Short mmCIF file of all heavy atoms in Angstrom, two decimals:
data_model
loop_
_atom_site.label_atom_id
_atom_site.label_comp_id
_atom_site.label_asym_id
_atom_site.label_seq_id
_atom_site.Cartn_x
_atom_site.Cartn_y
_atom_site.Cartn_z
N VAL T 183 0.82 -0.84 -10.11
CA VAL T 183 1.02 -2.28 -10.18
C VAL T 183 2.04 -2.61 -11.27
O VAL T 183 2.21 -1.84 -12.23
CB VAL T 183 -0.33 -2.99 -10.48
CG1 VAL T 183 -0.81 -2.70 -11.88
CG2 VAL T 183 -0.26 -4.48 -10.24
N ASP T 184 2.73 -3.71 -11.07
CA ASP T 184 3.66 -4.25 -12.06
C ASP T 184 2.83 -5.10 -13.02
O ASP T 184 2.57 -6.28 -12.77
CB ASP T 184 4.72 -5.10 -11.35
CG ASP T 184 5.72 -5.71 -12.30
OD1 ASP T 184 5.57 -5.55 -13.53
OD2 ASP T 184 6.66 -6.38 -11.83
N LEU T 185 2.39 -4.51 -14.13
CA LEU T 185 1.41 -5.17 -15.00
C LEU T 185 1.92 -6.47 -15.63
O LEU T 185 1.14 -7.43 -15.73
CB LEU T 185 0.95 -4.19 -16.09
CG LEU T 185 -0.44 -4.48 -16.69
CD1 LEU T 185 -1.50 -4.46 -15.62
CD2 LEU T 185 -0.77 -3.46 -17.78
N PRO T 186 3.18 -6.58 -16.04
CA PRO T 186 3.62 -7.87 -16.58
C PRO T 186 3.49 -9.00 -15.57
O PRO T 186 3.23 -10.15 -15.94
CB PRO T 186 5.09 -7.61 -16.94
CG PRO T 186 5.15 -6.15 -17.23
CD PRO T 186 4.20 -5.52 -16.24
N ARG T 187 3.69 -8.71 -14.29
CA ARG T 187 3.52 -9.75 -13.27
C ARG T 187 2.05 -10.04 -13.04
O ARG T 187 1.65 -11.20 -12.88
CB ARG T 187 4.17 -9.30 -11.95
CG ARG T 187 3.84 -10.21 -10.78
CD ARG T 187 4.59 -9.83 -9.54
NE ARG T 187 6.00 -10.16 -9.66
CZ ARG T 187 6.86 -10.10 -8.64
NH1 ARG T 187 6.45 -9.71 -7.46
NH2 ARG T 187 8.12 -10.42 -8.82
N PHE T 188 1.23 -9.00 -13.01
CA PHE T 188 -0.21 -9.18 -12.79
C PHE T 188 -0.90 -9.23 -14.15
O PHE T 188 -1.62 -8.32 -14.55
CB PHE T 188 -0.74 -8.08 -11.88
CG PHE T 188 -0.33 -8.27 -10.45
CD1 PHE T 188 0.91 -7.82 -10.01
CD2 PHE T 188 -1.15 -8.95 -9.56
CE1 PHE T 188 1.32 -8.03 -8.71
CE2 PHE T 188 -0.74 -9.16 -8.25
CZ PHE T 188 0.49 -8.70 -7.82
N ASP T 189 -0.67 -10.33 -14.84
CA ASP T 189 -1.18 -10.54 -16.20
C ASP T 189 -1.95 -11.86 -16.21
O ASP T 189 -1.37 -12.93 -16.02
CB ASP T 189 -0.01 -10.60 -17.18
CG ASP T 189 -0.45 -10.81 -18.62
OD1 ASP T 189 -1.65 -11.03 -18.85
OD2 ASP T 189 0.42 -10.77 -19.52
N PRO T 190 -3.26 -11.82 -16.41
CA PRO T 190 -4.05 -13.05 -16.34
C PRO T 190 -3.65 -14.10 -17.37
O PRO T 190 -3.89 -15.29 -17.16
CB PRO T 190 -5.49 -12.56 -16.56
CG PRO T 190 -5.35 -11.21 -17.21
CD PRO T 190 -4.08 -10.63 -16.68
N SER T 191 -3.05 -13.68 -18.47
CA SER T 191 -2.67 -14.65 -19.51
C SER T 191 -1.54 -15.56 -19.07
O SER T 191 -1.26 -16.58 -19.73
CB SER T 191 -2.28 -13.91 -20.79
OG SER T 191 -1.07 -13.18 -20.61
N ARG T 192 -0.89 -15.25 -17.95
CA ARG T 192 0.20 -16.10 -17.45
C ARG T 192 -0.29 -17.39 -16.83
O ARG T 192 0.49 -18.32 -16.60
CB ARG T 192 1.01 -15.34 -16.39
CG ARG T 192 1.79 -14.14 -16.89
CD ARG T 192 2.46 -13.43 -15.72
NE ARG T 192 3.25 -14.37 -14.93
CZ ARG T 192 3.33 -14.36 -13.60
NH1 ARG T 192 2.63 -13.48 -12.90
NH2 ARG T 192 4.10 -15.21 -12.96
N PHE T 193 -1.59 -17.48 -16.52
CA PHE T 193 -2.08 -18.56 -15.66
C PHE T 193 -3.04 -19.50 -16.36
O PHE T 193 -3.85 -19.06 -17.20
CB PHE T 193 -2.75 -17.96 -14.41
CG PHE T 193 -1.85 -17.07 -13.62
CD1 PHE T 193 -1.88 -15.69 -13.79
CD2 PHE T 193 -0.94 -17.61 -12.72
CE1 PHE T 193 -1.03 -14.86 -13.08
CE2 PHE T 193 -0.08 -16.78 -11.99
CZ PHE T 193 -0.13 -15.41 -12.17
N ASP T 194 -2.95 -20.77 -16.00
CA ASP T 194 -3.93 -21.78 -16.40
C ASP T 194 -5.02 -21.78 -15.33
O ASP T 194 -4.92 -22.46 -14.31
CB ASP T 194 -3.26 -23.16 -16.49
CG ASP T 194 -4.20 -24.24 -16.99
OD1 ASP T 194 -5.44 -24.06 -16.89
OD2 ASP T 194 -3.71 -25.29 -17.46
N VAL T 195 -6.03 -20.98 -15.57
CA VAL T 195 -7.05 -20.74 -14.55
C VAL T 195 -7.80 -22.02 -14.19
O VAL T 195 -8.06 -22.30 -13.01
CB VAL T 195 -8.04 -19.65 -15.01
CG1 VAL T 195 -9.17 -19.49 -14.00
CG2 VAL T 195 -7.31 -18.32 -15.19
N ALA T 196 -8.12 -22.83 -15.19
CA ALA T 196 -8.86 -24.07 -14.92
C ALA T 196 -8.06 -24.98 -14.00
O ALA T 196 -8.61 -25.57 -13.05
CB ALA T 196 -9.19 -24.78 -16.23
N ALA T 197 -6.76 -25.09 -14.25
CA ALA T 197 -5.92 -25.94 -13.41
C ALA T 197 -5.80 -25.39 -11.99
O ALA T 197 -5.84 -26.14 -11.00
CB ALA T 197 -4.53 -26.09 -14.04
N LEU T 198 -5.63 -24.07 -11.89
CA LEU T 198 -5.54 -23.45 -10.57
C LEU T 198 -6.82 -23.66 -9.78
O LEU T 198 -6.79 -24.01 -8.59
CB LEU T 198 -5.25 -21.96 -10.71
CG LEU T 198 -3.82 -21.55 -11.04
CD1 LEU T 198 -3.75 -20.06 -11.34
CD2 LEU T 198 -2.88 -21.90 -9.89
N ARG T 199 -7.95 -23.44 -10.42
CA ARG T 199 -9.23 -23.62 -9.72
C ARG T 199 -9.42 -25.06 -9.28
O ARG T 199 -9.90 -25.33 -8.18
CB ARG T 199 -10.38 -23.19 -10.63
CG ARG T 199 -10.53 -21.67 -10.77
CD ARG T 199 -11.81 -21.34 -11.52
NE ARG T 199 -12.06 -19.92 -11.54
CZ ARG T 199 -13.25 -19.37 -11.30
NH1 ARG T 199 -14.29 -20.13 -11.00
NH2 ARG T 199 -13.41 -18.07 -11.37
N ALA T 200 -9.05 -25.99 -10.15
CA ALA T 200 -9.20 -27.40 -9.80
C ALA T 200 -8.33 -27.76 -8.59
O ALA T 200 -8.78 -28.48 -7.68
CB ALA T 200 -8.83 -28.27 -11.00
N SER T 201 -7.12 -27.24 -8.55
CA SER T 201 -6.21 -27.56 -7.45
C SER T 201 -6.67 -26.96 -6.12
O SER T 201 -6.26 -27.42 -5.05
CB SER T 201 -4.79 -27.08 -7.78
OG SER T 201 -4.73 -25.66 -7.78
N ARG T 202 -7.53 -25.94 -6.21
CA ARG T 202 -7.97 -25.25 -4.99
C ARG T 202 -9.44 -25.50 -4.68
O ARG T 202 -10.03 -24.81 -3.84
CB ARG T 202 -7.69 -23.75 -5.13
CG ARG T 202 -6.19 -23.45 -5.17
CD ARG T 202 -5.84 -22.08 -5.68
NE ARG T 202 -4.39 -21.88 -5.65
CZ ARG T 202 -3.74 -20.85 -6.17
NH1 ARG T 202 -4.44 -19.88 -6.78
NH2 ARG T 202 -2.43 -20.75 -6.10
N GLY T 203 -10.03 -26.46 -5.37
CA GLY T 203 -11.41 -26.83 -5.09
C GLY T 203 -12.43 -25.80 -5.50
O GLY T 203 -13.51 -25.71 -4.88
N LEU T 204 -12.15 -25.07 -6.58
CA LEU T 204 -13.04 -23.98 -7.00
C LEU T 204 -13.67 -24.22 -8.37
O LEU T 204 -14.31 -23.32 -8.91
CB LEU T 204 -12.27 -22.66 -7.02
CG LEU T 204 -11.72 -22.18 -5.67
CD1 LEU T 204 -10.77 -21.01 -5.85
CD2 LEU T 204 -12.85 -21.82 -4.72
N THR T 205 -13.51 -25.39 -8.91
CA THR T 205 -14.08 -25.68 -10.23
C THR T 205 -15.60 -25.54 -10.20
O THR T 205 -16.27 -26.02 -9.28
CB THR T 205 -13.71 -27.11 -10.67
OG1 THR T 205 -12.28 -27.22 -10.74
CG2 THR T 205 -14.30 -27.44 -12.02
N GLY T 206 -16.14 -24.87 -11.21
CA GLY T 206 -17.59 -24.71 -11.31
C GLY T 206 -18.18 -23.66 -10.40
O GLY T 206 -19.41 -23.49 -10.39
N ARG T 207 -17.34 -22.94 -9.66
CA ARG T 207 -17.84 -21.91 -8.75
C ARG T 207 -17.68 -20.51 -9.35
O ARG T 207 -16.81 -20.27 -10.18
CB ARG T 207 -17.07 -21.94 -7.43
CG ARG T 207 -17.18 -23.25 -6.65
CD ARG T 207 -18.60 -23.50 -6.14
NE ARG T 207 -18.66 -24.61 -5.24
CZ ARG T 207 -18.56 -24.51 -3.91
NH1 ARG T 207 -18.42 -23.33 -3.35
NH2 ARG T 207 -18.62 -25.59 -3.17
N VAL T 208 -18.54 -19.59 -8.93
CA VAL T 208 -18.32 -18.16 -9.14
C VAL T 208 -17.57 -17.69 -7.91
O VAL T 208 -18.02 -17.85 -6.78
CB VAL T 208 -19.65 -17.40 -9.28
CG1 VAL T 208 -19.39 -15.90 -9.35
CG2 VAL T 208 -20.40 -17.88 -10.50
N VAL T 209 -16.39 -17.12 -8.13
CA VAL T 209 -15.49 -16.83 -7.01
C VAL T 209 -15.37 -15.32 -6.79
O VAL T 209 -15.00 -14.57 -7.70
CB VAL T 209 -14.09 -17.42 -7.27
CG1 VAL T 209 -13.17 -17.11 -6.09
CG2 VAL T 209 -14.18 -18.93 -7.49
N CYS T 210 -15.68 -14.90 -5.57
CA CYS T 210 -15.44 -13.52 -5.13
C CYS T 210 -14.34 -13.57 -4.09
O CYS T 210 -14.41 -14.37 -3.14
CB CYS T 210 -16.70 -12.91 -4.55
SG CYS T 210 -16.48 -11.19 -3.97
N GLY T 211 -13.32 -12.76 -4.23
CA GLY T 211 -12.18 -12.87 -3.34
C GLY T 211 -11.72 -11.57 -2.72
O GLY T 211 -12.17 -10.47 -3.06
N HIS T 212 -10.80 -11.73 -1.80
CA HIS T 212 -10.17 -10.60 -1.10
C HIS T 212 -8.77 -11.03 -0.71
O HIS T 212 -8.55 -12.19 -0.34
CB HIS T 212 -10.96 -10.23 0.15
CG HIS T 212 -10.28 -9.19 1.01
ND1 HIS T 212 -10.41 -7.85 0.78
CD2 HIS T 212 -9.45 -9.32 2.08
CE1 HIS T 212 -9.70 -7.18 1.68
NE2 HIS T 212 -9.11 -8.06 2.47
N ILE T 213 -7.82 -10.11 -0.79
CA ILE T 213 -6.45 -10.37 -0.34
C ILE T 213 -6.01 -9.21 0.54
O ILE T 213 -6.12 -8.05 0.15
CB ILE T 213 -5.48 -10.54 -1.53
CG1 ILE T 213 -5.85 -11.78 -2.34
CG2 ILE T 213 -4.04 -10.62 -1.06
CD1 ILE T 213 -5.02 -12.00 -3.57
N GLY T 214 -5.52 -9.55 1.73
CA GLY T 214 -5.07 -8.49 2.62
C GLY T 214 -5.10 -8.93 4.07
O GLY T 214 -5.42 -10.08 4.40
N ALA T 215 -4.77 -8.01 4.95
CA ALA T 215 -4.69 -8.31 6.38
C ALA T 215 -6.09 -8.48 6.98
O ALA T 215 -7.03 -7.78 6.61
CB ALA T 215 -3.95 -7.19 7.10
N PHE T 216 -6.19 -9.42 7.89
CA PHE T 216 -7.42 -9.58 8.67
C PHE T 216 -7.31 -8.67 9.89
O PHE T 216 -6.83 -9.06 10.94
CB PHE T 216 -7.58 -11.04 9.10
CG PHE T 216 -8.16 -11.93 8.04
CD1 PHE T 216 -7.42 -12.25 6.90
CD2 PHE T 216 -9.44 -12.45 8.16
CE1 PHE T 216 -7.94 -13.07 5.92
CE2 PHE T 216 -9.97 -13.27 7.17
CZ PHE T 216 -9.22 -13.58 6.05
N ALA T 217 -7.72 -7.44 9.71
CA ALA T 217 -7.72 -6.44 10.77
C ALA T 217 -9.10 -5.80 10.79
O ALA T 217 -9.78 -5.73 9.77
CB ALA T 217 -6.63 -5.40 10.53
N HIS T 218 -9.50 -5.30 11.95
CA HIS T 218 -10.87 -4.78 12.09
C HIS T 218 -11.16 -3.66 11.10
O HIS T 218 -12.26 -3.58 10.55
CB HIS T 218 -11.10 -4.28 13.53
CG HIS T 218 -11.24 -5.39 14.53
ND1 HIS T 218 -12.30 -6.27 14.50
CD2 HIS T 218 -10.46 -5.76 15.57
CE1 HIS T 218 -12.18 -7.14 15.50
NE2 HIS T 218 -11.07 -6.86 16.16
N TRP T 219 -10.16 -2.81 10.84
CA TRP T 219 -10.42 -1.66 9.95
C TRP T 219 -10.55 -2.08 8.48
O TRP T 219 -11.00 -1.31 7.67
CB TRP T 219 -9.35 -0.59 10.10
CG TRP T 219 -7.96 -1.08 9.86
CD1 TRP T 219 -7.28 -1.11 8.68
CD2 TRP T 219 -7.07 -1.62 10.83
NE1 TRP T 219 -6.02 -1.63 8.85
CE2 TRP T 219 -5.86 -1.95 10.17
CE3 TRP T 219 -7.17 -1.86 12.21
CZ2 TRP T 219 -4.77 -2.51 10.83
CZ3 TRP T 219 -6.08 -2.40 12.86
CH2 TRP T 219 -4.90 -2.73 12.18
N HIS T 220 -10.17 -3.32 8.14
CA HIS T 220 -10.37 -3.80 6.78
C HIS T 220 -11.74 -4.44 6.58
O HIS T 220 -12.14 -4.70 5.45
CB HIS T 220 -9.27 -4.79 6.40
CG HIS T 220 -7.94 -4.14 6.18
ND1 HIS T 220 -6.76 -4.85 6.16
CD2 HIS T 220 -7.60 -2.84 5.98
CE1 HIS T 220 -5.75 -4.02 5.94
NE2 HIS T 220 -6.24 -2.80 5.85
N GLY T 221 -12.41 -4.74 7.68
CA GLY T 221 -13.81 -5.14 7.61
C GLY T 221 -14.11 -6.54 7.13
O GLY T 221 -15.28 -6.87 6.86
N VAL T 222 -13.10 -7.41 7.01
CA VAL T 222 -13.36 -8.76 6.51
C VAL T 222 -14.25 -9.54 7.46
O VAL T 222 -15.18 -10.24 7.04
CB VAL T 222 -12.03 -9.51 6.26
CG1 VAL T 222 -12.31 -10.95 5.84
CG2 VAL T 222 -11.20 -8.80 5.20
N ASP T 223 -13.98 -9.43 8.76
CA ASP T 223 -14.78 -10.18 9.74
C ASP T 223 -16.24 -9.75 9.69
O ASP T 223 -17.16 -10.60 9.68
CB ASP T 223 -14.22 -10.01 11.14
CG ASP T 223 -13.96 -8.57 11.53
OD1 ASP T 223 -13.81 -7.70 10.64
OD2 ASP T 223 -13.89 -8.29 12.75
N GLY T 224 -16.49 -8.44 9.61
CA GLY T 224 -17.87 -7.96 9.54
C GLY T 224 -18.56 -8.38 8.25
O GLY T 224 -19.75 -8.71 8.25
N PHE T 225 -17.81 -8.38 7.14
CA PHE T 225 -18.40 -8.79 5.87
C PHE T 225 -18.79 -10.26 5.89
O PHE T 225 -19.90 -10.63 5.45
CB PHE T 225 -17.41 -8.53 4.73
CG PHE T 225 -17.87 -9.08 3.41
CD1 PHE T 225 -18.80 -8.40 2.65
CD2 PHE T 225 -17.38 -10.29 2.94
CE1 PHE T 225 -19.25 -8.91 1.43
CE2 PHE T 225 -17.81 -10.81 1.73
CZ PHE T 225 -18.74 -10.12 0.97
N VAL T 226 -17.90 -11.12 6.37
CA VAL T 226 -18.21 -12.56 6.41
C VAL T 226 -19.42 -12.82 7.30
O VAL T 226 -20.29 -13.62 6.96
CB VAL T 226 -16.98 -13.35 6.90
CG1 VAL T 226 -17.34 -14.82 7.10
CG2 VAL T 226 -15.84 -13.24 5.89
N GLU T 227 -19.47 -12.12 8.43
CA GLU T 227 -20.62 -12.29 9.32
C GLU T 227 -21.91 -11.83 8.65
O GLU T 227 -22.96 -12.47 8.78
CB GLU T 227 -20.40 -11.52 10.62
CG GLU T 227 -21.48 -11.77 11.65
CD GLU T 227 -21.12 -11.19 13.01
OE1 GLU T 227 -20.07 -10.54 13.12
OE2 GLU T 227 -21.92 -11.38 13.95
N ALA T 228 -21.84 -10.73 7.88
CA ALA T 228 -23.03 -10.19 7.23
C ALA T 228 -23.52 -11.07 6.08
O ALA T 228 -24.73 -11.16 5.83
CB ALA T 228 -22.74 -8.78 6.72
N ILE T 229 -22.60 -11.73 5.37
CA ILE T 229 -23.00 -12.50 4.20
C ILE T 229 -23.27 -13.97 4.52
O ILE T 229 -23.92 -14.67 3.73
CB ILE T 229 -21.92 -12.40 3.09
CG1 ILE T 229 -22.53 -12.73 1.71
CG2 ILE T 229 -20.72 -13.30 3.39
CD1 ILE T 229 -21.59 -12.45 0.55
N ALA T 230 -22.79 -14.44 5.67
CA ALA T 230 -22.87 -15.87 5.99
C ALA T 230 -24.29 -16.41 5.90
O ALA T 230 -24.52 -17.50 5.35
CB ALA T 230 -22.29 -16.13 7.38
N GLY T 231 -25.25 -15.67 6.42
CA GLY T 231 -26.62 -16.16 6.45
C GLY T 231 -27.34 -16.05 5.12
O GLY T 231 -28.48 -16.51 4.99
N GLN T 232 -26.68 -15.44 4.09
CA GLN T 232 -27.34 -15.24 2.80
C GLN T 232 -26.71 -16.06 1.66
O GLN T 232 -27.18 -15.98 0.52
CB GLN T 232 -27.29 -13.76 2.43
CG GLN T 232 -27.96 -12.85 3.47
CD GLN T 232 -27.99 -11.40 3.03
OE1 GLN T 232 -28.50 -11.08 1.94
NE2 GLN T 232 -27.45 -10.51 3.84
N LEU T 233 -25.67 -16.83 1.96
CA LEU T 233 -24.99 -17.58 0.91
C LEU T 233 -25.87 -18.66 0.29
O LEU T 233 -25.69 -19.01 -0.88
CB LEU T 233 -23.70 -18.21 1.46
CG LEU T 233 -22.53 -17.24 1.66
CD1 LEU T 233 -21.37 -17.94 2.33
CD2 LEU T 233 -22.09 -16.64 0.33
N ASP T 234 -26.81 -19.17 1.04
CA ASP T 234 -27.71 -20.20 0.48
C ASP T 234 -28.51 -19.68 -0.70
O ASP T 234 -28.91 -20.46 -1.57
CB ASP T 234 -28.67 -20.72 1.55
CG ASP T 234 -27.97 -21.62 2.56
OD1 ASP T 234 -26.85 -22.09 2.25
OD2 ASP T 234 -28.53 -21.86 3.65
N ALA T 235 -28.73 -18.37 -0.77
CA ALA T 235 -29.50 -17.79 -1.88
C ALA T 235 -28.74 -17.82 -3.19
O ALA T 235 -29.34 -17.71 -4.27
CB ALA T 235 -29.90 -16.35 -1.54
N VAL T 236 -27.42 -17.96 -3.11
CA VAL T 236 -26.58 -18.01 -4.33
C VAL T 236 -25.63 -19.20 -4.19
O VAL T 236 -24.45 -19.05 -3.87
CB VAL T 236 -25.77 -16.70 -4.50
CG1 VAL T 236 -25.12 -16.66 -5.87
CG2 VAL T 236 -26.66 -15.47 -4.31
N PRO T 237 -26.12 -20.40 -4.42
CA PRO T 237 -25.34 -21.61 -4.14
C PRO T 237 -24.07 -21.74 -4.97
O PRO T 237 -23.15 -22.46 -4.57
CB PRO T 237 -26.32 -22.75 -4.46
CG PRO T 237 -27.36 -22.14 -5.32
CD PRO T 237 -27.48 -20.72 -4.91
#
Side-chain angles (χ1 to χ4, degrees):
V183 69
D184 180 356
L185 205 59
R187 170 175 289 189
F188 286 84
D189 181 354
S191 67
R192 294 176 53 219
F193 302 97
D194 184 339
V195 175
L198 283 172
R199 284 188 174 225
S201 69
R202 294 164 178 172
L204 297 170
T205 300
R207 299 294 189 93
V208 174
V209 180
C210 179
H212 173 85
I213 295 177
F216 278 70
H218 287 295
W219 56 90
H220 288 164
V222 176
D223 50 339
F225 173 79
V226 173
E227 186 170 3
I229 202 172
Q232 302 184 55
L233 284 174
D234 286 344
V236 190

